[in-house]
């Protein structure tokens, strides 16, 4: 389904909406990497699954320094831990991002995926999202910061998702990119966190909120921020305009 919007008819209707909330829930916007409290991700292997160990794939020379810097950052943030031995090991895929950054993903299709019972938790479809947001005037989009990597893995899962790099083996401590069950697992967690909150829908790493009035919007944002703070989950502060949250509405007439 394709929706055409006249962007000339979109305008900012309120700039002070979130200033008070940003001060009250400043932890949610803290730049330090978060770890979700009360939830852990697990995986289920088929009964006949046996450990698979794959060699590291070569990294292009032009990316080697950037990849090593990212491995250092992920280790420092507690997202992965260097290990000397592992029964399981998957090579990595390097995805180039903007501003000279990279994302390191496990290439689990050659190791874990063939022996994995994939999580079948359903993701919201377009119709469900539109139904939840219908009738709204004020909208907010909250971007979860490195969402998957805020969700800790169970101990056995950490070993299975170990990656093999030119710098050695790294045990994965948090839900990792490249893992096929990651979207369903994270969606399941967020649905439970936001359960019962009306006019809010989470689709993977985005939380969409809509209301009919500015005051109602402020109250709803407060409810969502409180729930995120309760589980120590953090948002991406890029979506915050210095002192406020940006709300938009469609012009009428």
């Amino acid at each position: 389904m394709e929706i055409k919007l006249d962007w000339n008819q979109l305008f900012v209707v309120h700039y002070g909406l979130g200033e008070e909330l940003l001060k009250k829930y400043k932890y949610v916007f803290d730049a330090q990497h978060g770890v979700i409290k009360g939830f852990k991700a697990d995986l289920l292997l088929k009964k006949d699954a046996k450990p698979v160990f794959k060699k590291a794939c070569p990294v292009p020379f032009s990316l080697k320094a950037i990849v090593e810097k990212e491995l250092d950052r992920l280790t420092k943030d507690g997202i992965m831990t260097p290990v000397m031995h592992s029964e399981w090991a998957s090579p990595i895929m390097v995805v180039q991002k903007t501003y000279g950054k990279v994302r390191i993903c496990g290439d689990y299709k050659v190791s874990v995926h063939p022996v994995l019972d994939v999580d079948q938790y359903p993701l919201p479809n377009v119709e469900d999202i539109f139904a939840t947001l219908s009738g709204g005037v004020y909208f907010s989009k909250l971007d979860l910061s490195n969402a998957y990597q805020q969700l800790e893995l169970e101990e056995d899962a950490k070993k299975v998702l170990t990656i093999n790099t030119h710098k050695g083996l790294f045990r994965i401590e948090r839900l990792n990119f490249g893992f096929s069950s990651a979207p369903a697992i994270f969606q399941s967690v967020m649905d439970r966190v936001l359960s019962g909150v009306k006019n809010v829908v989470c689709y993977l790493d985005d939380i969409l909120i809509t209301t009919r009035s500015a005051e109602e919007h402020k109250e709803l944002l407060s409810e969502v921020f409180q729930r995120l703070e309760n589980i120590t989950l953090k948002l991406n502060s890029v979506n915050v305009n210095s002192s406020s949250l940006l709300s938009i509405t469609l012009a009428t007439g």
Side-chain angles (χ1 to χ4, degrees), residues 31-186:
Q32 296 298 317
H33 211 86
V35 183
I36 296 174
K37 182 173 65 177
F39 298 91
K40 288 188 178 183
D42 203 0
L43 53 84
L44 181 63
L45 300 178
K46 296 175 181 177
K47 292 182 179 180
D48 59 348
K50 295 181 180 180
V52 177
F53 189 100
K54 295 290 184 179
K55 295 181 179 180
C57 292
V59 175
F61 180 78
S62 60
L63 294 177
K64 188 166 291 187
I66 302 174
V67 169
E68 291 176 359
K69 182 178 179 180
E70 179 65 3
L71 288 172
D72 289 341
R73 183 190 71 82
L74 294 171
T75 300
K76 181 181 178 181
D77 288 347
I79 296 170
M80 58 177 58
T81 303
V83 294
M84 295 299 296
H85 304 283
S86 177
E87 289 186 311
W88 291 86
S90 301
I92 62 171
M93 297 182 296
V94 179
V95 179
Q96 290 185 266
K97 301 169 66 178
T98 55
Y99 307 111
K101 296 184 178 181
V102 295
R103 172 175 290 171
I104 297 176
C105 307
D107 187 5
Y108 298 116
K109 68 178 182 293
V110 300
S111 53
V112 180
H113 289 171
V115 294
L116 178 70
D117 275 337
V118 180
D119 197 308
Q120 299 298 324
Y121 190 86
L123 301 180
N125 55 42
V126 175
E127 289 76 14
D128 292 337
I129 294 174
F130 285 155
T132 301
L133 302 179
S134 64
V137 176
Y138 289 79
F139 298 86
S140 284
K141 174 178 171 288
L142 309 180
D143 182 17
L144 299 172
S145 178
N146 297 313
Y148 294 176
Q149 293 179 339
Q150 294 191 57
L151 183 58
E152 189 178 0
L153 292 166
E154 294 286 1
E155 287 302 315
D156 287 343
K158 293 177 182 181
K159 299 173 184 177
V160 172
L161 297 183
T162 296
I163 58 173
N164 201 352
T165 77
H166 70 287
K167 295 288 287 184
L169 298 167
F170 290 83
R171 185 182 66 197
I172 303 301
E173 306 291 342
R174 317 274 180 81
L175 194 60
N176 199 24
F177 298 107
F179 178 46
S180 61
S181 288
I185 291 172
F186 192 79

Side-chain angles (χ1 to χ4, degrees), residues 143-238:
D143 182 17
L144 299 172
S145 178
N146 297 313
Y148 294 176
Q149 293 179 339
Q150 294 191 57
L151 183 58
E152 189 178 0
L153 292 166
E154 294 286 1
E155 287 302 315
D156 287 343
K158 293 177 182 181
K159 299 173 184 177
V160 172
L161 297 183
T162 296
I163 58 173
N164 201 352
T165 77
H166 70 287
K167 295 288 287 184
L169 298 167
F170 290 83
R171 185 182 66 197
I172 303 301
E173 306 291 342
R174 317 274 180 81
L175 194 60
N176 199 24
F177 298 107
F179 178 46
S180 61
S181 288
I185 291 172
F186 192 79
Q187 184 70 46
S188 173
V189 169
M190 292 309 302
D191 284 351
R192 283 179 281 174
V193 170
L194 298 173
S195 176
V197 184
K198 295 182 179 180
N199 302 321
V200 175
V201 60
C202 181
Y203 182 76
L204 300 177
D205 56 0
D206 287 325
I207 299 175
L208 308 175
I209 302 172
T210 184
T211 61
R212 292 180 178 273
S213 70
E215 188 60 33
E216 183 186 4
H217 205 78
K218 184 176 179 180
E219 292 176 0
L220 195 54
L221 282 170
S222 181
E223 171 69 17
V224 172
F225 289 162
Q226 185 61 63
R227 294 200 179 200
L228 298 183
E229 188 176 79
N230 288 344
I231 64 167
T232 64
L233 192 154
K234 299 184 180 182
L235 292 172
N236 189 341
S237 58
V238 172

